[in-house]
Amino acid sequence: MKRTIAIVGGGDTSEFQVSLRSAQGIYSFIDKEKYILYIVQMHGRDWHVRLPDGTTAPIDRNDFSFLLNGKKVVFDFAYITIHGTPGEDGRLQGYFDMLRIPYSCCGVLAASLTYDKFACNQYLKSFGVRIAESLLLRKGQTISDEDVIGKIGLPCFIKPSLGGSSFGVTKVKTREQIQPAIAKAFEEAQEVLVEAFMEGMELTCGCYKTKEKSVVFPLTEVVSHNEYFDYEAKYNGESDEITPARVSDELRDRVQQLTSAIYDILNAQGIIRVDYIITAGEKINLLEVNTTPGMTATSFIPQQVRAAGLDIKDVMTDIIENAF
């Protein structure tokens, strides 16, 4: 009997539309001969499933089910592709844990930790991972321009410590930009990260592990046409994404080994993607860990799967079947 899979997208942040595009991507990737697929869209308290005839049906949050032609449909597995809350920060994972519904990604602790960039990077720093110098501001806290310049320096990045897709991010070059950048970041999250700029090559590497195998994908080199890898570069083609990356075999191996180690340190599940900056002397610096990476046809992970000579359909099957 085919398993019934919920592909869960949407969410409550600025990444809502990005998440829905990932949901469509995953729908196209999963083997429909093996699984019955539904896209479940969440926004606030509006949870509904898209039906084959184009209509929708409400999700019963008591057991994550819905009615189809008068019959209750329950899900065997949830593929979470919400970027941001509640799907990337551990909240939805806790809900599914209580319902005993297996899902595609990290558990509550790893999800909530990696969603907070400052907390995650400081945690991984304790394991010897190199990170940029940074400061954390919480809502209501202030910092002077002098402290930013003295402790972090210019240029720097000011960004939400929670969230992704470069919403609320500013590359700050002058004193006059500091306070407006902090205000902009606080519009997206309750915590703001002030992070030192690192000059170098940006690389990203995906990884997943199952009971039977460990797969670390080829690296992607990111060359933004803009000041940094912002929303336009990510989603509107204003960057070159080169897979496999133009790096030495030695550096490639070190980045892949570090990605695998980070996966284990975090006790990750499903597919993760780790972003890095390679600075002078081929030093590997962590930018951030993504536990629900983008999954459109042109996203990094599908690119890396193709470069590895793998079939994305088989990768999706690995992720689903590993839960059983």
Side-chain angles (χ1 to χ4, degrees), residues 6 8 26 77-84 86-94 96-97 101-112 114 207-209 263 266-273 290-293 295 316 318-320 322-323:
V8 187
I26 290 166
F77 182 89
Y79 200 112
I80 300 173
T81 187
I82 290 177
H83 309 313
E88 197 171 5
D89 59 0
R91 299 182 190 190
L92 196 55
Q93 288 83 349
F96 285 133
D97 283 343
I101 297 174
Y103 48 86
S104 57
C105 53
C106 292
V108 174
L109 177 59
S112 58
T114 54
C207 175
Y208 78 95
K209 301 186 181 187
Y263 193 104
L266 295 172
N267 192 28
Q269 302 291 325
I271 299 172
I272 71 167
R273 198 193 76 233
N290 298 274
T291 58
T292 58
M295 290 294 286
M316 295 292 99
D318 282 348
I319 300 301
I320 295 168
N322 190 58

Side-chain angles (χ1 to χ4, degrees), residues 135 142-153 175 178 194:
L135 295 170
T142 60
I143 189 170
S144 68
D145 297 344
E146 290 73 19
D147 278 348
V148 170
I149 294 169
K151 295 177 181 178
I152 301 299
R175 176 191 299 266
I178 293 173
V194 182

